[in-house]
Amino acid sequence: MSATRVDLFDSTYRHFASEVLTDIRREAFGDDIGQNSWLTLDEYDRFIAWLNLRPDEHVLEVACGSGGPARYLAQQTDCRVCGLDSNEYAVGTATRMGTQDAVTFIHADANDPLPFANGEFDAVVCVDSMNHFPNRLSVLWEWHRVMRSGARAVFTDPVVVTGPVTNEQFAIRSSIGTFVFVPQDVNEQLIELAGFRLILQQDVTSNAALVAGRWYRARERHRNELLSSEGRHRFEGLQEFFATVHRLASERRLSRIAYLVEKPATT
């Protein structure tokens, strides 16, 4: 099958609460907090701990998806969380699944200037979406602008090029939307250019390989239900996508790297 555009996000967020997708998330992630990435709960707890948050601080989650991780973060830290996503179905799902005083969601594109004041946030979180931002340096500049002095941000890039990848594999890996692939050291350079200090980076490729493999197998187990709801083209296209993610991550040809950065405190 040649790689063509496959809808992962719109249909997934429109039907996020369906029984079959809920079952698949449980099988793929183990603990389902409403994520739609390569994030597992133990990994998210680790990322949250890196931010050194205090109660009532204000956190921005860029590319919040269904809002589940934002709600979880608020519950675990007693912080206020604003989730932002460019997908209207994601924001609609996040709102329908329930908001609370500490959690809000807005529809906005993180590629554009953010609709927030300078220094408004005490932390920024962005899981597995940095690869969707064509002008990554501008995005990082905006994060720097809306973060207070001394604040931290954590983000993951799931498609750092660390080995040989064919043009067809690139096409399949990016079949679900806009993708930007970068080689090693580019994120580190952009972090510095944006005015951040790199505190920590960690190879978290194994989680992408694990979750992609589980996701593929869970969808195979629910093949008949998914064929009925998705149609053959979307089902087979997404299966090819998940199989390719699993293979490239398992072989460390496309790596997933987590970065913890800090906006230096002013003196």
Side-chain angles (χ1 to χ4, degrees), residues 53-254:
L53 294 167
R54 292 173 294 185
D56 203 41
E57 289 193 318
H58 200 188
V59 182
L60 173 64
E61 184 183 7
V62 176
C64 66
S66 71
R71 284 187 290 271
Y72 178 83
L73 192 157
Q75 292 164 1
Q76 295 300 305
T77 62
D78 292 323
C79 286
R80 294 171 291 129
V81 182
C82 177
L84 175 151
D85 204 288
S86 63
N87 188 295
E88 60 182 319
Y89 299 111
V91 176
T93 296
T95 303
R96 285 194 304 274
M97 291 180 71
T99 58
Q100 54 208 61
D101 291 343
V103 184
T104 57
F105 299 105
I106 66 169
H107 179 219
D109 191 339
N111 287 291
D112 299 330
L114 296 173
F116 306 113
N118 295 349
E120 187 168 339
F121 294 97
D122 299 289
V124 171
V125 178
C126 181
V127 177
D128 294 337
S129 292
M130 186 60 80
N131 49 297
H132 299 311
F133 305 142
N135 194 340
R136 194 167 307 191
L137 180 57
S138 293
V139 169
L140 288 170
W141 276 336
E142 275 296 283
W143 293 7
H144 189 278
R145 180 184 67 79
V146 302
M147 289 167 60
R148 67 163 174 82
S149 175
R152 289 182 167 189
V154 60
F155 72 90
T156 59
D157 183 345
V159 290
V160 176
V161 181
T162 52
V165 182
T166 69
N167 63 316
E168 183 177 9
Q169 288 167 334
F170 274 128
I172 296 169
R173 186 63 180 85
S174 59
S175 62
I176 61 170
T178 299
F179 267 68
V180 179
F181 299 87
V182 300
Q184 297 179 79
D185 299 327
V186 167
N187 284 320
E188 292 84 343
Q189 294 169 17
L190 296 178
I191 286 166
E192 183 177 357
L193 286 172
F196 287 110
R197 180 169 66 92
L198 178 62
I199 298 174
L200 172 69
Q201 67 186 79
Q202 189 173 97
D203 189 315
V204 288
T205 311
S206 59
N207 241 41
L210 173 69
V211 172
R214 286 178 175 174
W215 210 332
Y216 175 90
R217 292 189 295 272
R219 286 174 52 83
E220 282 295 327
R221 285 190 287 271
H222 295 274
R223 167 183 281 269
N224 291 337
E225 297 163 90
L226 292 174
L227 283 171
S228 177
S229 61
E230 296 179 352
R232 184 168 297 278
H233 170 76
R234 181 169 183 262
F235 176 81
E236 292 181 352
L238 287 179
Q239 289 303 87
E240 186 176 41
F241 167 77
F242 288 118
T244 300
V245 174
H246 175 71
R247 179 180 178 184
L248 293 176
S250 297
E251 296 174 358
R252 291 298 198 279
R253 291 192 278 146
L254 285 181

